[in-house]
Amino acid sequence: MNKSKIDAQLERFKQGFPWLDIVDCATPQRGIKVLGEEEQIKAAEYFDGASVKGKCKFVPASGAASRMFKDIFAGMDNANDATRKLADNLEEFAFYDEKVFGKAPFNPEDTARKLLTEEGLGYGSKPKGVLAFHRYEDEVRTALAEHLVEGQAYMRNADGSVKIVVTISPEHEHLFREVVGKIREEYEKRYGVRYDISFTYQDKETDTVAADMENKPFLKDDGSMVFRPAGHGALIYNLNALEEELVSIKNIDNVCVERMQPLTYLWKKVLMGKALELRDRIFGYIYAMDQITDVRRNAADLSYVPAYNVGADDPYMTEECQSLCNEIEQFLLDELCIEMPPAKDCRARAQALRAKLDRPIRVCGMVRNEGEPGGGPFIIRDKDGSTSLQILEAAQIDKSNAHAMQALSSATHFNPVDLVCCLRNHEGKKFDLLEHVDEETGLISMKSFQGRELKALELPGLWNGSMSDWNTLFVEVPVETFNPVKTVLDLLRPAHQQ
């Protein structure tokens, strides 16, 4: 990393990130769509019949599963509640193997060691995606295997392929390839598909420098600086490399056993249908605007080049153009919670509306808040004076701001990371997603290195600031479609048991 970039990041530690201007939390009353049965069916059917330039399932799966076993590590030498529960229910887990663990009763400390260390399964240093999650009568499935099963149900391309891109750490690639090698051929025969599976890494160039408590570079004992991965926001570069138009994003650990998956299939189709409905309506407005005003976007400076002589025949002044602007403005407000600021004249209004339309699209599933951790849906006032729907983490909210805290306490839903994205514009060209990142929405978090505390700089989150300048729709999805495995004991929940 060059010196100017390091200096800029160290300055960010000193200055911090500005707080976002929260208008309100998004709720079913304003900001979150709650679909009736007919609307669900209509959206799913729209997805089935829509034309799409390629589909892709994008699965963030970087890092080891160490947090999943935090409590088990803590009880490895001195039994605690977590290790005792693990031992008492060991035979209920898909990873139970009598050759490794022996027969009941199981000693909590021994069980923890055999699960986490090379004495047994070595799960403490492996990624979640390759761990045994679910046991069936004739097979044991990893989290990655369940994503392959899901993918064939709702992400088939016209040629019968299912493209799945998994973001991983380089040191784990051989483990993921081993899992895929064991099941690909069998699953392709079973489901009648062809899997196109690729693995991608978080670019090391997106790592950020760590700082000490005085906002100076954090130094190792040998005097060298520490650089850290910049969080999942760096994956916007990986997402930007995709060629497909329609992308589904879902975390590696959010899976369930196959008997419960049909509900997930339905709601993925609903979300994709809503995204494509939104895409087609937005494209229709852009076509109509361009037909009326005969303007073309200049990608170099985002200005508009008129193809007529300004004067009495100015198409921006026509009743037709103003009527269309009124309709677009109402659509943005009703569907996307975008309230536009006053414009100085008719031309500025039309151009601002067209610019709001001409952006990537995301539809985000939102789950009713029942105590699970996760970012929340809010309505934000943007720098240009307009409002927008955004997903915020608690760390992005000013605890000293009474209005912001009231919005946080009033939130009814949270983000389960269940997103659908449309990545092409009305001309079928890819958006450059890096042009739509809000660099002012990163995070500074506290971490440790060799027992010493440090400050870490995280890039704007993938579904937070990295998608800040997108057209966003929030849709309520059933809590039954959200089954994350944050700790190993979560695998005892019904969603992970046959």
Side-chain angles (χ1 to χ4, degrees), residues 287-296 304-308 315-316:
Y287 293 139
M289 178 74 75
D290 287 352
Q291 187 172 16
I292 291 171
T293 60
D294 193 23
V295 298
R296 292 294 180 267
Y304 290 80
V305 183
Y308 56 85
Y316 288 106

Side-chain angles (χ1 to χ4, degrees), residues 221-287:
D221 292 339
D222 63 5
S224 61
M225 289 185 286
V226 172
F227 295 90
R228 304 185 79 263
H232 59 68
L235 297 181
I236 194 68
Y237 292 86
N238 305 75
L239 194 64
N240 200 38
L242 300 182
E243 295 295 331
E244 288 73 23
E245 177 179 19
L246 187 67
V247 178
S248 168
I249 302 176
K250 190 175 164 186
N251 281 339
I252 188 68
D253 66 331
N254 183 13
V255 290
C256 61
V257 291
E258 193 166 355
R259 65 179 169 79
M260 294 180 61
Q261 287 179 15
L263 187 66
T264 296
Y265 305 160
L266 168 64
W267 278 95
K268 267 300 185 183
K269 288 188 174 185
V270 169
L271 294 181
M272 290 189 285
K274 295 303 291 184
L276 295 170
E277 284 179 5
L278 187 59
R279 175 200 68 175
D280 292 346
R281 188 166 181 187
I282 285 174
F283 287 1
Y285 282 137
I286 292 175
Y287 293 139

